[in-house]
Amino acid sequence: IPGLKSYSMEEVSKHSSIEKRIWVTFKNGVYDVTDFVHEHPGGDNIMMGAGGAVDPFWELYAVHKNEKVLDILEKYRIGNLNAEDRHLTEPQAGNPYSTDPRRHPALQPRSVTPFNAEPPLEILVKNFRTPNELFFVRNHLPVPIVDINEYKLEIEGIGLKKSFALTLNDLKNKFPKHSVTTAIQCAGNRRSEMIEYKEVRGLSWGPAAISNAKWSGARLSDVLKYCGLDLNDERIKHVQFDGLDQDPAGQPYGASIPADIALDPKSQFILAYEMNDEEIPRDHGFPIRLIAPGIVGARNVKWLGRIVLSDEESHSHWQRNDYKGFSPNVDWDTVDFDKAPAIQDLPVQSAICKPANGEVLRRDKNGCIKVEGYAWSGGGRKIVRVDVSADGGKNWTVANLKQEATPLNRTYSWTLWEVNLPIKEGNAQLICKAIDSAYNGQPETVPPIWNLRGVLSNAWHRVNVQVE
Ligand code: MTE
Ligand code: MO
């Protein structure tokens, strides 16, 4: 825009805190976005661009690529970037997602860059172990390219005399291979039902942001014992995990899990190199992924690069300022992320996968229809019952459960269920609800559990059908 004041990049870079005001550049414009910071839908991620160009971040977080966003930004314009510095803001050649792997065409994308997708519901319940290429994908950043000859897993922190760097071969050859079957569920699974009630910030996941697989690798506890760690060292409160995927500021995706769970050999934490007996696919964490059975998807860190034994939680954005639950009346002006614990365990969940919403069905000779779905609970709690209703919740039929013969408090894989449900002709609402081994159940409706990030969505699942 001619006539506006011209600034150098050096000048812009001095404005990278609220006190000194926050300036950013986009293309040739200079913007003072200080007053917008608290309204930013991506929270304090905006601070990653403070004092510099936001172009590379916008390449990554492609939600910005629409006119509404440009209109908002233009309101904060204070000047132009001087001609000499314009080359600094030009996006680097190539799209950071161009080296992402190819995906199965059946996966339904909820966002393409980064790639987030879920399989169709009726396919999800066909297999107790979800095939690798159909397992839902939740990436925050481009999939990192890992050279297997260079790969090292770094281990450091409290209780270790020195830091360690283990190769993939070390992990495969120095430790017994251990397998665990576990479901991984995103905290945002079924968020779309919360969005239907009231808008939230987040990807509009249906009920298939969950999948189940057998994972194999070295036990975390075996690897740490090999490093000389006393697993009962009381000084260690959290185990932090960093991925090899990084944002443009060089910050890795990271998470942490309380030490008393992560370091307990019975928790079966695994540094996995196999998924369903195959090499882990790139989308799911090649070459090494942390498997934290019973713990929310977000902490099952993919492309694992570093483990830190610490007295505090990971400082990652996704640990401290995301993936937390709040009361329905908390909004973006009042939310205080320090006040809520990070989601670790997850509440009991279930969903109807067949028939599909809106389906027209015929009854069998006994006046029944077949209904199928999944159920799962966090913390290793086994599903003990699934109730299904064909009349909006007046009468319930108990479903047949297909599950592993694992103990009540250490069942990490999901339960698939099916039921022949007596039903009348006409329009009907099918409902399912599950009970876990702690006798926890699901809430009846969304409003009392609605929250601004749309996480922990586990109300009774409802599907409308027409019976002829
Ligand atoms: N690990 C890394 N390094 N980067 C990520 O973006 N996403 C997390 C978790 N681990 C993520 C990650 C989230 S939020 C979820 S739900 C699961 O991975 C999804 O695992 P999947 O893609 O194998 O289904
Ligand atoms: Mo997630």
Side-chain angles (χ1 to χ4, degrees):
I1 300 180
L4 277 179
K5 206 173 163 211
S6 167
Y7 297 100
S8 70
M9 205 44 154
E10 200 186 332
E11 185 128 28
V12 172
S13 71
K14 291 179 186 149
H15 298 273
S16 62
S17 65
I18 300 273
E19 293 153 3
K20 294 185 179 146
R21 302 199 68 81
I22 291 164
W23 291 13
V24 299
T25 68
F26 177 68
K27 296 203 168 124
N28 296 335
V30 177
Y31 305 86
D32 180 342
V33 295
T34 320
D35 298 328
F36 175 68
V37 167
H38 74 281
E39 286 171 40
H40 183 241
D44 59 5
N45 269 341
I46 196 175
M47 296 303 288
M48 296 193 298
V54 295
D55 311 56
F57 296 94
W58 286 22
E59 281 294 316
L60 274 183
Y61 302 107
V63 285
H64 296 97
K65 280 188 192 153
N66 76 54
E67 273 176 31
K68 247 202 212 153
V69 175
L70 288 177
D71 288 347
I72 296 173
L73 185 66
E74 232 24 71
K75 285 195 288 193
Y76 297 99
R77 186 144 186 174
I78 54 170
N80 297 325
L81 188 62
N82 67 20
E84 302 88 84
D85 286 350
R86 281 186 193 164
H87 70 280
L88 293 171
T89 69
E90 269 155 28
Q92 280 160 2
N95 156 0
Y97 293 96
S98 62
T99 52
D100 267 20
R102 291 191 62 156
R103 278 95 185 196
H104 195 285
L107 285 178
Q108 301 170 342
R110 300 290 167 250
S111 100
V112 175
T113 55
F115 190 75
N116 290 287
E118 57 189 307
L121 275 179
E122 66 275 17
I123 292 182
L124 187 65
V125 281
K126 271 202 180 131
N127 304 285
F128 188 74
R129 286 190 203 159
T130 314
N132 292 359
E133 64 279 9
L134 293 171
F135 202 98
F136 88 100
V137 179
R138 203 298 177 231
N139 294 340
H140 291 82
L141 295 162
V143 175
I145 298 171
V146 181
D147 176 348
I148 211 58
N149 298 313
E150 303 277 308
Y151 175 79
K152 293 236 165 62
L153 172 64
E154 294 169 20
I155 305 176
E156 60 189 61
I158 298 175
L160 295 181
K161 293 210 172 66
K162 59 171 191 127
S163 54
F164 289 79
L166 301 180
T167 65
L168 182 59
N169 276 335
D170 290 337
L171 291 166
K172 285 187 175 169
N173 301 330
K174 290 196 158 108
F175 308 98
K177 179 161 144 187
H178 185 78
S179 300
V180 63
T181 304
T182 177
I184 292 183
Q185 180 181 218
C186 184
N189 190 29
R190 299 182 59 199
R191 180 183 283 128
S192 58
E193 292 160 63
M194 284 200 175
I195 295 173
E196 267 169 44
Y197 169 64
K198 204 163 102 182
E199 205 188 323
V200 307
R201 284 178 195 163
L203 296 168
S204 188
W205 290 113
I210 181 170
S211 301
N212 192 55
K214 174 187 168 192
W215 306 88
S216 310
R219 276 194 185 91
L220 175 65
S221 56
D222 287 347
V223 173
L224 293 174
K225 272 191 281 183
Y226 164 90
C227 296
L229 188 76
D230 167 9
L231 295 176
N232 296 313
D233 190 325
E234 293 277 326
R235 295 170 300 167
I236 306 167
K237 303 292 184 215
H238 301 272
V239 185
Q240 304 178 354
F241 302 91
D242 286 344
L244 295 169
D245 47 340
Q246 296 188 344
D247 69 27
Q251 287 303 308
Y253 180 88
S256 61
I257 299 171
D260 58 350
I261 297 167
L263 299 182
D264 180 352
K266 286 188 176 162
S267 301
Q268 301 181 64
F269 277 40
I270 291 178
L271 307 178
Y273 43 79
E274 282 176 15
M275 175 179 187
N276 291 326
D277 302 317
E278 290 165 24
E279 186 172 79
I280 297 190
R282 286 187 62 212
D283 258 334
H284 300 290
F286 175 83
I288 295 287
R289 170 190 207 154
L290 173 71
I291 288 299
I295 304 282
V296 64
R299 319 291 174 222
N300 285 251
V301 174
K302 306 193 274 190
W303 315 292
L304 189 63
R306 203 162 77 116
I307 301 175
V308 183
L309 304 157
S310 178
D311 54 1
E312 56 171 12
E313 283 191 279
S314 165
H315 281 267
S316 145
H317 167 83
W318 296 280
Q319 183 75 23
R320 301 224 173 186
N321 295 318
D322 201 356
Y323 293 111
K324 296 189 174 189
F326 294 95
S327 175
N329 277 80
V330 172
D331 61 26
W332 289 98
D333 290 328
T334 56
V335 66
D336 181 354
F337 275 93
D338 291 339
K339 290 265 158 64
I343 299 171
Q344 293 287 349
D345 209 323
L346 282 168
V348 57
Q349 176 69 286
S350 67
I352 295 166
C353 298
K354 267 162 120 172
N357 202 26
E359 210 169 308
V360 181
L361 303 151
R362 285 248 160 88
R363 297 183 300 175
D364 65 16
K365 57 183 189 311
N366 301 317
C368 293
I369 59 167
K370 190 168 156 192
V371 182
E372 290 173 70
Y374 68 78
W376 184 75
S377 189
R381 290 179 291 278
K382 195 167 191 164
I383 295 299
V384 297
R385 205 180 73 228
V386 175
D387 300 324
V388 188
S389 171
D391 57 8
K394 284 192 207 81
N395 295 288
W396 300 91
T397 305
V398 175
N400 299 314
L401 308 184
K402 182 174 159 197
Q403 53 189 189
E404 285 188 314
T406 36
L408 280 182
N409 62 335
R410 296 211 185 270
T411 296
Y412 302 108
S413 58
W414 65 9
T415 292
L416 296 181
W417 53 263
E418 61 172 54
V419 62
N420 287 317
L421 191 65
I423 195 164
K424 293 202 188 95
E425 277 180 13
N427 293 328
Q429 183 168 72
L430 310 178
I431 302 178
C432 76
K433 62 180 176 81
I435 300 288
D436 72 13
S437 57
Y439 281 105
N440 286 312
Q442 300 176 236
E444 188 171 336
T445 60
V446 169
I449 56 165
W450 182 94
N451 60 88
L452 75 177
R453 264 304 256 122
V455 290
L456 308 164
S457 181
N458 73 331
W460 295 0
H461 189 232
R462 297 159 193 269
V463 161
N464 297 316
V465 295
Q466 197 185 320
V467 182
E468 293 192 327

